[in-house]
Amino acid sequence: MRIPGDAEIRALHERHAPTREAFERVWTHSEIVCRIAEQIGGDGLDMALVRAGCLLHDIGVYRLEPDDHYVRHGLLGYELLAGAGLPETLRRFCAHHTGVGITRDDVSRQRLPLPAGDYLAETGEEELVMYADKFHSKSTPPRFVSAATFAVNVSRFGADKVERFTSLVDRFGEPDLDALAAEYGHAVT
């Protein structure tokens, strides 16, 4: 499988971003997620694939309508990348990175606007992208999120989600957010 490079992925973002501001917000977040993933790494993982996954994972944000539930951005990104002719391996980074994974039961119980199914990271590369994404938020203003803060935030979705996140912390470790926060000027919460 050919993995697109940064310039090709950036051009895809620029082509689909509705505004320059939206592009800057999503692209900067994607670059930060990539920096976090590369910092914590993963033995035996294809880091070129991880890089592409980090840079592509949130591209569906551009397709959200004002009344859309944010959880839909992963599926919208999956569809956007399918339309661009990118392979399933890359499309999965979009649809399988939300939270610490969405199960068929989550879709039903929470009445999520997604087709019934599991949206779980299955490969080590997908897990690393999903995990690295938890440490930065595109909120206004953007911010870095500590492991402790994320664990509290995800607890509202159940103890199983906290356990899943804790297992990822144990596997990958916690990134050093202070240097990135200083570089980007985003607070750590």
Side-chain angles (χ1 to χ4, degrees), residues 140-153:
T140 304
R143 61 189 168 85
F144 287 92
V145 180
S146 69
T149 297
F150 184 81
V152 168
N153 291 342

Side-chain angles (χ1 to χ4, degrees), residues 76-133:
L76 294 170
Y78 181 95
E79 293 167 353
L80 185 154
L81 295 185
L86 292 175
E88 174 78 8
T89 302
L90 293 172
R91 297 190 312 247
R92 285 183 53 85
F93 287 107
C94 295
H96 297 265
H97 79 276
T98 303
V100 291
I102 299 171
T103 65
R104 178 181 298 273
D105 182 60
D106 294 329
V107 172
S108 174
R109 190 172 27 81
Q110 296 175 43
R111 297 187 179 125
L112 298 175
L114 298 170
D118 289 322
Y119 302 89
L120 303 168
E122 294 176 359
T123 68
E125 289 84 0
E126 289 172 358
E127 287 183 320
L128 180 54
V129 171
M130 177 191 66
Y131 179 64
D133 182 48

